[in-house]
Amino acid sequence: MKTIRTAATLLSLGLPFAAIAQSAPAPDVKTGDSWTYTMTTEKGPSGWTQTHDQLTVLRTTSSHIYYESKTAGSTQAPKELIAGADWSRERSVNGTETVVNRPLAFPLSPGKTWNIDYTEQHPNPMFASQKWNSQYRVTGTEAVEVPAGKFQAIKIEAEGDWLAQAEPRQTVTQAAQVEQGDTTIITHAQKTGPVPTTGRTYKAFWYVPEVGRWVKSVEEYYGSNGVRNARYTTELESFKKGGQ
């Protein structure tokens, strides 16, 4: 039988939660488990979008979770995605499957830390390479309120930086020179070598063991001038546990 857990039910589990927060194990994720989030994307000074996305587990293995993501009101077919068994995010980096984001490293206990480091060659047309480094830490427990209700959550924060080498560029200038009625076009080409640039990242996740996933997350990305370029926020609207 499928069950739906409410915020009131979770809050009534205060003592068990206090005990499990000392060493929270990996969640028992099952086929059919689902979570609906409000997802907000902020880019640049005025870019802002918001969607309501439902994530549903399709199947699990010992090392991965296969799930689909469907946006409310969209006519597009659901996206089928894959995550690590700890909900880590993986993708191909230089032809190798690489963990690029690990919000949770079980068992979770206060003060626990872990790092994610990787370097990607030619990540976009602007950069020849880009190195990412993030340091995650379980900061303790914290009360958090989202559309699904109020929860006591395990909070994880991550601060990091990135270092990129810009692609070499070539600038070409032309000038016209006139002498005794004849016009000569003079072309000058100049190459500039790789230019390093840096930036910062900040992430926070509020994980609730009974939910099996985080109830809120914030990810922020800052450019070399210290200005935030993008922020991604998720807040839990509802969830269903119990599998099928």
Side-chain angles (χ1 to χ4, degrees), residues 19 124 176 198:
N124 56 54
T198 63

Side-chain angles (χ1 to χ4, degrees), residues 55-112:
L55 313 182
T56 303
V57 177
L58 301 174
R59 63 184 181 277
T60 63
T61 67
S62 60
S63 58
H64 289 90
I65 299 170
Y66 295 79
Y67 66 102
E68 68 175 21
S69 174
K70 183 172 178 57
T71 300
S74 173
T75 58
Q76 301 295 319
K79 294 179 182 178
E80 295 194 9
L81 306 165
I82 182 173
D86 56 2
W87 288 112
S88 56
R89 188 183 308 159
E90 302 173 353
R91 65 177 178 84
S92 177
V93 175
N94 308 323
T96 302
E97 282 298 308
T98 304
V99 175
V100 297
N101 193 359
R102 175 167 282 152
L104 311 170
F106 296 101
L108 296 174
S109 55
K112 182 175 182 177

Side-chain angles (χ1 to χ4, degrees), residues 135-147:
Q135 305 86 41
Y136 295 77
R137 182 175 183 271
V138 180
T139 61
T141 58
E142 183 175 290
V144 60
E145 185 171 2
V146 293

Side-chain angles (χ1 to χ4, degrees), residues 116-194:
I116 293 293
D117 300 276
Y118 66 95
T119 299
E120 186 170 11
Q121 303 299 321
H122 307 289
N124 56 54
M126 294 179 58
F127 295 154
S129 67
Q130 189 170 18
K131 180 179 181 180
W132 295 87
N133 172 268
S134 296
Q135 305 86 41
Y136 295 77
R137 182 175 183 271
V138 180
T139 61
T141 58
E142 183 175 290
V144 60
E145 185 171 2
V146 293
K150 296 181 180 179
F151 299 88
Q152 284 292 328
I154 301 172
K155 186 178 181 180
I156 299 96
E157 286 188 298
E159 288 192 290
D161 54 58
W162 57 267
L163 171 65
Q165 296 289 337
E167 290 280 9
R169 295 183 179 181
Q170 178 173 292
T171 57
V172 178
T173 58
Q174 289 185 328
Q177 180 176 321
V178 180
E179 291 185 3
Q180 297 180 351
D182 293 329
T183 301
T184 303
I185 302 299
I186 301 174
T187 301
H188 177 71
Q190 182 178 7
K191 282 188 175 182
T192 58

